[in-house]
Amino acid sequence: MTTASSSVSSGRVTGKVAFVTGAGRGIGRATAIMLAQHGAKVAVADRDADVAQEVVDTIESMGGAAALAVVDVADEDGVRQVIGEVVDRWNRIDVLVNCAGLAGIQKPIHEVTTAEYDRVMDVNVRGIFHTTKYAIPAMTNGGSVINFSSIYGLVGGASAESPYSVYQASKGAVLGMSRGDAMMYASQGIRVNSICPGFIDTPMVAGFLERTGDAAAARTAAAALHPLGDLGEPDDIAYGVLYLASDESKFVTGTALVIDGGMTAA
Ligand code: NAP
């Protein structure tokens, strides 16, 4: 779990308004805190009010600015409402980080139910459609959209023991939507990019490892997939988001930033 440093610096995203989904745990939490440390005002969006409030409190205790946005990204009306509240409070949105995601089911596709398929797509793909739809009109001064795909949007899973086809389909769709949106909104100064993490040490991955029945052995096996020798930490990804959110990446759009310890190069 990421730990916050003690204060907000004059930073790389000072003055920007960021809306971060899945911000209550894992990579989203690390991202929300890092953006705030670098001067952004951050709307902390998660479906779990308690964990989101903890992140808001952490940011405020550092002297940063945060707003609570309790929402299930699969709920279009809820997304429209919370984005409207952020715009009412801070006038616009500059950075949208679509981090909320479900690992979904680990079953061969012939055993996946339609309801299971729909839930993964509703969160991982439709959720990004919802937030992008309502955030883009609020990006009145240009902006940066950062969508979470995965190495599993790029390559197949590690083995037949970990069938992940529906998740992979959802993360491939994120790459396509990101490229399309990048072209659509470039003329408005709105950049759209994806991030493809390898295995990162988060509650999502902890759940994945536990479901194997031998979490320690599964962790060792997962670490071995990465030439750099271990799972990544949430901050390893948050630094990538910070770059894409900042004006340092003003010439970057329509791309996918792979942060995977070398996994997909192996
Ligand atoms: P995580 O530890 O499960 O945290 C995700 C957060 O998003 C949780 O607080 C979760 O709430 C919330 N969330 C889930 N569904 C939501 C919804 N419908 N609406 C609002 N909030 C929702 O996940 P993570 O590992 O940080 O992953 C973050 C993103 O990176 C995901 O898109 C994931 O697919 C992607 N990714 C992760 C890895 C990795 O190795 N960790 C690798 C590649 C890509 P609940 O806990 O209540 O579900």
Side-chain angles (χ1 to χ4, degrees), residues 143-208:
S144 176
V145 179
I146 298 141
N147 293 328
F148 270 73
S149 179
S150 166
I151 44 138
Y152 288 144
L154 300 169
V155 299
S159 73
E161 282 85 55
S162 301
Y164 242 5
S165 302
V166 180
Y167 180 78
Q168 289 171 322
S170 73
K171 294 304 186 181
V174 171
L175 294 175
M177 198 192 308
S178 302
R179 289 190 202 101
D181 286 348
M183 298 302 98
M184 181 62 62
Y185 298 111
S187 63
Q188 297 178 38
I190 297 171
R191 301 180 293 105
V192 185
N193 293 287
S194 307
I195 288 211
C196 298
F199 280 71
I200 309 301
D201 201 351
T202 67
M204 176 188 282
V205 164
F208 164 79

Side-chain angles (χ1 to χ4, degrees), residues 8 37 51 73 77 79 148 164-165 180 186-187 205 242 253 257:
V8 170
Q37 284 170 336
V51 295
V73 296
D77 286 342
V79 168
F148 270 73
Y164 242 5
S165 302
S187 63
V205 164
L242 176 61
T253 198
L257 177 57

